[in-house]
Amino acid sequence: FRARDYRAVLSVLDEHAAAFPDASLAPEAAALGIDALCALGDQHAAHARIQEFLQRWPRSPSAARLRSGCATLSNDTNHKTNK
């Protein structure tokens, strides 16, 4: 995220998800992928992944922030990358 190469982030996370779909860190990786889509401005794809995320991991600690959509996520991502 620091380099703001969100497409590369998505590629790595998608590869990880395909290789390890049931990994213990899968929800966190999925949330990062959603953050990257929001940062790219792809709200349609982000919304679809948010819905999938909430169906699969409704009790995840990331679920509450994902429910608020890209506007909040983009602000969080920009704040994190500017540190």
Side-chain angles (χ1 to χ4, degrees), residues 17-76:
F20 308 103
D22 298 318
S24 61
L25 294 178
E28 288 78 5
L32 285 174
I34 293 166
D35 290 342
L37 286 169
C38 289
L40 287 168
D42 191 345
Q43 293 192 13
H44 179 74
H47 180 73
R49 286 201 190 190
I50 289 169
Q51 296 309 308
E52 292 171 12
F53 184 98
L54 295 174
Q55 293 233 340
R56 189 164 181 197
W57 301 292
R59 292 187 176 93
S60 165
S62 297
R65 82 179 173 84
L66 292 174
R67 282 187 183 93
S68 58
C70 278
T72 302
L73 297 176
S74 293
N75 289 336
D76 289 348

Side-chain angles (χ1 to χ4, degrees), residues 8-20:
V9 169
L10 276 173
S11 177
V12 169
L13 292 172
D14 287 347
E15 287 176 20
H16 181 272
F20 308 103

